[in-house]
Amino acid sequence: MEYTYEIAVVGAGAAGCAAAIYAGRSGASVAVFDKGMGGGLTLEAPKIENYPGFKSIGGVELAEKMKEHAAEYAEMKYGEEVKELKVTENGVEVITNRGKYFVGAVILCTGAEHRKLGVKGEKEFAGKGISYCATCDGFFFKGKKVAVVGGGNSAVIEAIYLKQIGCDVSVIHRRDELRAEKALEEEAKEKGIQFIWNSVVEEIIGKEMVEGVKIKNVKTGEEKILEVSGVFISIGEEPQNQLAKQIGLKLDENGYIIVDDMGRTSMERIFAAGDVTGGVRQIITACAEGAKAALAAMKAIGKRSPY
Ligand code: NAP
């Protein structure tokens, strides 16, 4: 059977765009499927200052540049969700909400989504004071008291961003030291962000909208209510591994797709790159992984590749 496209990339975030650029430039016909408008978690970064070539760039701008670049070499299929993959000896059937395609290899760049706290009030107040993205929603909380939950780089960056737009910010972290880089911690402290240590959120409370969080000190057992209008939950990510599970790819104990250093998975014709494979989860590493997976995938479609 003839391929509709030689390579299908699933996900138009950093890894997917890089994979499309490298596969397209290596001579493959490529389609990139994304259930939304692409961009991935890059879209949510208020400011990116560690991507070489750009001293400082907004996430939305960088994601747009990557998508435009990928579109030079691949057909970008936005709003088209891959529902199912069927791996055969000769290729992979890609079944989407719009149609069926037969391809030589698939590169899964499906990324990760925000981890949920799983406490009372989190679902009820979604969009009513609870957010997972300061860049997207921070503006609505200008001049108000907000809490950021988490102690990683994302939580601290979001806290700094919220402070910058005029929020009164407290970071609630379950331990007494941050996971975030020291430089970020120092910047946050200099800017007057308060830290509530050794504390977990037990409930998010309010009537129509969020009015506060009930927190408990895990060392003393003391419970209190912190009055806030907004809660920004930034406690890490979960891999979007539904397709990987559906075809039976090997995953690690946290659900990330196991890959070798060229993005090869436990199945021939299936490759993976970016946050769905875990690792250091940076934009630059996602790009590098996408590039390598694309080069490795060339062999699966019967083309010469040095990798
Ligand atoms: P992360 O580094 O995994 O940090 C998650 C934070 O949330 C940790 O402090 C963790 O606490 C806390 N946490 C996890 N589950 C929790 C729960 N159920 N309740 C309360 N707290 C919980 O996640 P991230 O900050 O989203 O970053 C993801 C990756 O992207 C990381 O590799 C990070 O370095 C990277 N990143 C880099 C940059 C950059 O500019 N270089 C920016 C953003 C993200 P513990 O510390 O106690 O485990």
Side-chain angles (χ1 to χ4, degrees):
M1 205 203 289
E2 228 176 88
Y3 297 141
T4 334
Y5 298 96
E6 287 170 310
I7 292 181
V9 176
V10 189
C17 288
I21 293 164
Y22 271 74
R25 289 177 57 82
S26 300
S29 61
V30 185
V32 181
F33 297 90
D34 194 294
K35 64 183 173 188
M37 284 308 294
L41 290 182
T42 302
L43 284 178
E44 299 188 0
K47 241 187 339 179
I48 295 158
E49 298 187 330
N50 54 11
Y51 191 79
F54 298 94
K55 274 191 208 156
S56 184
I57 186 167
V60 173
E61 195 186 347
L62 184 59
E64 281 307 316
K65 283 184 189 292
M66 288 182 176
K67 282 164 52 181
E68 271 172 33
H69 195 169
E72 293 284 317
Y73 301 103
E75 203 165 310
M76 307 301 282
K77 292 178 172 290
Y78 296 118
E80 186 156 358
E81 182 173 6
V82 177
K83 297 279 194 186
E84 200 183 339
L85 296 173
K86 286 185 186 160
V87 186
T88 68
E89 218 174 282
N90 306 318
V92 186
E93 201 178 331
V94 178
I95 299 151
T96 75
N97 57 335
R98 299 221 183 115
K100 277 187 190 171
Y101 307 84
F102 188 64
V103 303
V106 172
I107 306 174
L108 293 172
C109 303
T110 44
E113 62 189 1
H114 300 293
R115 184 174 291 142
K116 308 286 184 297
L117 267 177
V119 298
K120 196 167 165 218
E122 187 175 18
K123 267 196 196 137
E124 294 81 336
F125 292 112
K128 295 177 181 169
I130 291 185
S131 170
Y132 299 86
C133 172
T135 330
C136 320
D137 306 320
F139 184 74
F140 302 115
F141 299 89
K142 195 175 171 181
K144 296 188 177 160
K145 278 185 87 167
V146 298
V148 174
V149 187
N153 277 336
S154 301
V156 179
I157 290 171
E158 300 233 312
I160 294 170
Y161 175 77
L162 289 164
K163 184 80 187 175
Q164 191 175 290
I165 60 176
C167 299
D168 179 353
V169 188
S170 301
V171 174
I172 303 168
H173 183 37
R174 63 184 177 184
R175 291 188 293 130
D176 62 0
E177 74 181 334
L178 295 175
R179 183 177 292 275
E181 290 164 17
K182 267 278 165 272
L184 285 171
E185 176 171 0
E186 276 157 24
E187 187 182 339
K189 285 180 176 163
E190 263 166 34
K191 294 204 159 129
I193 289 164
Q194 298 129 51
F195 286 87
I196 302 174
W197 303 107
N198 297 311
S199 296
V200 292
V201 173
E202 290 198 312
E203 190 181 340
I204 295 157
I205 53 178
K207 292 184 194 86
E208 293 296 304
M209 304 290 283
V210 167
E211 290 173 13
V213 277
K214 191 168 154 194
I215 52 180
K216 181 180 175 177
N217 185 305
V218 291
K219 289 253 161 88
T220 63
E222 186 200 344
E223 288 182 341
K224 67 173 184 184
I225 288 173
L226 181 73
E227 284 180 17
V228 290
S229 311
V231 183
F232 289 84
I233 298 168
S234 188
I235 57 167
E237 301 159 3
E238 304 273 2
Q240 303 225 56
N241 58 12
Q242 298 83 348
L243 285 171
K245 279 185 176 161
Q246 181 251 312
I247 53 174
L249 281 188
K250 275 198 186 139
L251 307 177
D252 71 13
E253 67 279 10
N254 296 314
Y256 293 100
I257 300 173
I258 296 174
V259 286
D260 72 3
D261 64 352
M262 289 300 292
R264 300 180 192 97
T265 69
S266 57
M267 288 172 100
E268 276 184 30
R269 298 186 180 277
I270 307 289
F271 299 80
D275 281 8
V276 74
T277 65
V280 288
R281 290 174 287 157
Q282 303 290 301
I283 298 170
I284 191 161
T285 51
C287 290
E289 289 161 17
K292 290 203 282 181
L295 294 175
M298 294 304 286
K299 265 198 188 145
I301 57 169
K303 300 235 163 157
R304 284 170 72 88
S305 165
Y307 302 97

